[in-house]
Amino acid sequence: MTHKLFEPARIGDIEVANRVVMAPLTRSRADEAAGDIPGSPMNVEYYRQRSNAGLIISEGTQVSPVGKGYMATPGIYSDAQVEGWKPITQAVHDAGSKIVAQIWHVGRVTHPNLTGGVQPVAPSAVTPKVIAYTRAGKVEALEPRALSVAEIKDIVAEYRRGAANAIRAGFDGIELHGANGYLIDQFLRDGANQRTDEYGGSIENRARFALEVVDAVVAEIGAGRVGIRLSPVTPANDLSDSDPQAVFGYLIEELDKRGIAFIHFVEGATGGPRDVPGFDYAWARKAFKGTYIANNGYTREMAIEAVDSGRADAVAFGRAYIANPDLVQRLKLNAPLNTPNPQTFYSHGEEGYIDYPSLDKAA
């Protein structure tokens, strides 16, 4: 029996060979000293190995130096970074897959040690209870500086430039990182957004920044090449909201009006329990007419059921893709999966990055 999970599909303007998606995975292996530049032979091989996915979503790539939250994460704001991404996107295309760039700004979830000495920025001066990992070791996050309206407009422009640069670098589109407590999420949720101007207070105002960013990138590269990642109820990075159904329900209805390609949902707590109350994903599936990409702890059986039943259009896998470069083949054959080693998720060499065996090498 052929399951829909392994059949071709169309995600907006992007034709994909199957409905298995490689989730965005921070791996901290860009050339930080040279300016957060990707594209080393090791980086190229990592993405090439995993190009059996119908769609690859790149690791988070910051739209500005101030948007950086982790060591050795790549950027998408300089010409050198664009050139660095080109051999990666070419390798993915040569292997028959498609790739979109996840573009992000981490907002308050960073430290001056990572941003060139610049104080973190956020919707409001609310300090998150998080630890930043820097070259100087683990440090507590500082109180961020509340952005001015003019600065918010500048960041919207940075996202637009990031989307344009992604296309220049050979990506098939972009995913806005609107999840897991980063800047877009900080504006959406009242646990971080205490503003009283047009970007705070009401649901419409808290969603304004997200929608301005969406409108900017759609104007730059077209709605059919734009997606967004959302995590309505995750507590990641010390973020919360008093009524996630209301704010994310409004946002999803507005995204549907704009005709974007996909919404990538983290169902439940990121990397944790799926049964977190506060948001109705079945409602979201019906409300949004684009592609629904499901994520968070999916097994082979869960993924097949979700797509066969129509509950989702595609399923994204994260840790499974770290350890199984040939994940689609393994899922098709119901073959055993390699176990990922968390000790090497964010180290800086080839170990735990490009040395996991594929089935043909393991045989």
Side-chain angles (χ1 to χ4, degrees), residues 34-103:
D36 296 325
I37 296 173
S40 68
M42 174 177 67
N43 297 154
V44 175
E45 177 63 10
Y46 170 76
Y47 282 100
R48 186 200 64 76
Q49 287 178 351
R50 288 155 181 80
S51 295
N52 50 85
L55 181 68
I56 292 174
I57 305 173
S58 83
E59 62 206 277
T61 178
Q62 54 262 13
V63 296
S64 75
V66 181
K68 176 182 177 179
Y70 304 90
M71 290 185 291
T73 52
I76 195 74
Y77 54 86
S78 74
D79 288 340
Q81 291 162 350
V82 171
E83 291 304 311
W85 279 113
K86 286 181 178 179
I88 293 174
T89 59
Q90 186 64 53
V92 170
H93 291 149
D94 288 347
S97 187
K98 302 293 174 63
I99 183 169
V100 297
Q102 188 195 64
I103 60 176

Side-chain angles (χ1 to χ4, degrees), residues 86-350:
K86 286 181 178 179
I88 293 174
T89 59
Q90 186 64 53
V92 170
H93 291 149
D94 288 347
S97 187
K98 302 293 174 63
I99 183 169
V100 297
Q102 188 195 64
I103 60 176
W104 69 349
H105 190 302
V106 302
R108 67 183 191 169
V109 188
T110 188
H111 190 275
N113 289 353
L114 294 165
T115 60
V118 179
Q119 182 182 4
V121 296
S124 305
V126 179
T127 306
K129 295 181 178 65
V130 299
I131 298 295
Y133 295 83
T134 75
R135 296 288 178 193
K138 298 179 183 179
V139 291
E140 291 187 2
L142 306 178
E143 181 178 282
R145 181 177 60 78
L147 290 159
S148 70
V149 170
E151 288 173 319
I152 292 170
K153 303 295 185 185
D154 289 342
I155 293 175
V156 172
E158 289 173 346
Y159 277 101
R160 182 168 183 157
R161 179 184 63 186
N165 284 346
I167 298 302
R168 280 207 296 139
F171 285 99
D172 298 287
I174 62 104
E175 174 183 275
L176 295 169
H177 199 340
N180 295 352
Y182 300 117
L183 187 61
I184 290 174
D185 209 12
Q186 290 161 28
F187 271 93
L188 287 166
R189 299 211 256 172
D190 56 19
N193 187 342
Q194 299 178 358
R195 301 177 73 96
T196 57
D197 62 5
E198 64 264 43
Y199 288 97
S202 71
I203 286 169
E204 293 81 5
N205 284 354
R206 282 185 282 133
R208 189 181 308 277
F209 175 67
L211 292 171
E212 286 184 353
V213 172
V214 169
D215 290 340
V217 296
V218 165
E220 187 66 39
I221 68 172
R225 298 192 179 277
V226 171
I228 189 169
R229 193 182 203 205
L230 301 175
S231 57
V233 296
T234 188
N237 287 313
D238 193 32
L239 200 53
S240 62
D241 188 77
S242 59
D243 190 352
Q245 185 67 47
V247 66
F248 284 92
Y250 170 78
L251 176 64
I252 288 161
E253 288 174 341
E254 289 297 314
L255 293 171
D256 184 62
K257 293 175 185 176
R258 287 157 170 81
I260 64 169
F262 66 88
I263 301 178
H264 177 190
F265 284 97
V266 179
E267 299 171 343
T270 306
R274 293 175 46 79
D275 57 343
V276 179
F279 188 76
D280 186 345
Y281 299 97
W283 171 88
R285 170 73 171 127
K286 294 175 183 175
F288 180 68
K289 305 303 186 297
T291 296
Y292 181 113
I293 301 176
N295 186 319
N296 201 24
Y298 273 79
T299 64
R300 176 183 187 271
E301 292 71 25
M302 289 167 62
I304 287 172
E305 185 279 328
V307 177
D308 279 351
S309 69
R311 189 167 57 77
D313 296 301
V315 175
F317 295 85
R319 292 186 180 195
Y321 248 124
I322 289 177
N324 298 276
D326 56 346
L327 182 63
V328 172
Q329 288 88 334
R330 289 176 185 261
L331 293 175
K332 282 182 178 178
L333 296 170
N334 199 16
L337 300 183
N338 298 323
T339 302
N341 176 12
Q343 300 302 313
T344 57
F345 283 177
Y346 311 112
S347 56
H348 304 298
E350 296 184 358

